[in-house]
Amino acid sequence: MVERVLELLAPALDAEGAVVVDANLGLGGHAEALLRAHPSLHLIGIDRDPAAIERSTARLMPYSERVTLVRAVSDELPEVLDQAGVRKVHGVLFDLGVSSPQLDEAERGFAYSYDAPLDMRMDPDQEVTAEHVVNTYSAAELIRILRDYGEEGSAPRVARLIIKERAKEAITSTKRLAEIVREAIPAAKRRTGGNPAKRTFQALRIEVNAELTALDVALPAALDALAVGGRVVVLSYHSLEDRLTKQALAARIKDTSPVGLPVPLPGHEPTFRLLTRGAELPSDAEVTRNPRAASARLRAAERIREPVDED
């Protein structure tokens, strides 16, 4: 949805000296498009994956004087801006989820379509891996993450079989885990919805990388950092990501005056307005070009006033 992202952010980025934050840099595709569209724009790109930083550094070399790339988790956004000497930004983009190289490089262990070590770390230096989660979490913990992060209806069955099989031998490969999940899912459910391991792998990836925890901190921080007229765009690929986004934006568009007053009280007016009606979906043409875009949900908002300092 690159064109829609550009369209939504454009009014905020045309100003001289505008700064935009790409909070999940990935391959740098959105970053490159933004820099090309706005010749005076400075971009701060954040990603926890050193491979993403390396690839984007090479890709954005023609714009190097207008780019600051930082290896960090998105929830470290306030620290990143402070170190860059930036108080306010004019745009923020969150393109959530896993990047194509992470899925396509078998050794990263994100995909059930390859046999690889059970890893799934976006930051290869962190300690927690999918292997650790699968082999040490209790049945209750496994059920929780499979239900909450994977929306897996057969979570108890999958968790029980994982516990049973790991007692025989540690589960260390993507292939073995996918086989266990397939065996746990009832035959009737295996006939629909694609690979039966899809939801389990998604849940483990979110847990390993604390993705929802990071978003829960990063998005409000990004909204706080936006100047008046600044805009935020969020591309999510999971219902919980989209729900967190919806809630964070809803909190900023509310009139918090006591109920029944004819006009909002000073300091209680909304500080943001929505730019999208609900969550926008990718077009059929885009999904045809890029099937991984099928689950994308886009929301955007604009800061319309600064909050009143109650002190």
Side-chain angles (χ1 to χ4, degrees):
M1 304 178 77
V2 175
E3 291 182 4
R4 183 59 173 148
V5 169
L6 291 176
E7 178 185 2
L8 286 164
L9 288 175
L13 303 184
D14 283 334
E16 187 70 27
V19 177
V20 67
V21 176
D22 188 338
N24 307 90
L25 188 62
L27 284 174
H30 283 109
E32 183 180 32
L34 287 164
L35 289 162
R36 186 188 304 120
H38 302 280
S40 65
L41 180 68
H42 188 91
L43 181 135
I44 299 174
I46 302 173
D47 205 292
R48 71 177 83 185
D49 188 341
I53 295 294
E54 182 179 352
R55 287 188 174 99
S56 292
T57 298
R59 181 173 191 165
L60 303 178
M61 188 62 68
Y63 310 97
S64 59
E65 294 183 357
R66 298 193 283 126
V67 172
T68 302
L69 302 185
V70 183
R71 183 183 172 190
V73 184
S74 60
D75 61 9
E76 298 174 285
L77 189 148
E79 291 82 2
V80 170
L81 294 181
D82 186 59
Q83 290 173 10
V86 174
R87 290 188 62 254
K88 289 291 182 179
V89 301
H90 303 81
V92 182
L93 170 64
F94 287 89
D95 186 5
L96 305 172
V98 63
S99 68
S100 293
Q102 289 167 339
L103 286 172
D104 295 337
E105 294 170 1
E107 66 273 13
R108 303 296 296 270
F110 282 93
Y112 42 78
S113 52
Y114 307 106
D115 189 18
L118 200 51
D119 193 322
M120 301 194 193
R121 292 174 296 176
M122 292 180 177
D123 179 353
D125 293 334
Q126 76 175 45
E127 292 184 6
V128 176
T129 64
E131 180 181 335
H132 170 82
V133 173
V134 166
N135 289 287
T136 66
Y137 276 30
S138 68
E141 290 173 314
L142 289 172
I143 291 170
R144 175 186 61 80
I145 67 168
L146 291 173
R147 277 180 173 165
D148 291 352
Y149 300 161
E151 299 176 300
E152 175 52 75
S154 299
R157 293 171 63 103
V158 174
R160 284 196 298 269
L161 192 55
I162 286 174
I163 298 289
K164 177 183 176 182
E165 291 299 314
R166 79 187 191 190
K168 303 174 187 175
E169 183 181 10
I171 302 167
T172 61
S173 76
T174 55
K175 181 180 179 181
R176 183 163 180 240
L177 177 61
E179 290 171 346
I180 291 169
V181 175
R182 181 178 180 81
E183 184 180 342
I185 302 293
K189 293 181 67 176
R190 293 201 301 264
R191 298 190 191 105
T192 60
N195 193 301
K198 178 180 179 179
R199 291 184 174 86
T200 293
F201 274 64
Q202 173 181 277
L204 288 172
R205 188 204 83 218
I206 292 173
E207 173 69 14
V208 167
N209 297 289
E211 293 176 38
L212 294 175
T213 302
L215 179 62
D216 202 26
V217 174
L219 183 51
L223 298 176
D224 289 342
L226 281 172
V228 173
R231 294 183 168 202
V232 62
V233 174
V234 183
L235 278 166
S236 59
Y237 301 86
H238 183 275
S239 62
L240 290 178
E241 292 172 342
D242 185 52
R243 191 180 309 158
L244 279 175
T245 302
K246 180 180 178 181
Q247 291 170 348
L249 298 181
R252 308 295 179 113
I253 64 169
K254 282 184 179 178
D255 170 11
T256 59
S257 303
V259 176
L261 293 181
V263 294
L265 287 176
H268 292 265
E269 305 99 330
T271 54
F272 280 77
R273 71 179 182 95
L274 297 180
L275 299 171
T276 53
R277 181 175 295 179
E280 293 186 359
L281 309 181
S283 66
D284 292 340
E286 178 142 15
V287 173
T288 300
R289 291 195 305 269
N290 177 19
R292 288 176 180 168
S295 60
R297 301 291 182 268
L298 183 150
R299 294 181 187 269
E302 178 185 28
R303 179 180 283 284
I304 56 175
R305 62 173 55 86
E306 292 284 359
V308 174
D309 189 346
E310 295 181 0
D311 293 337

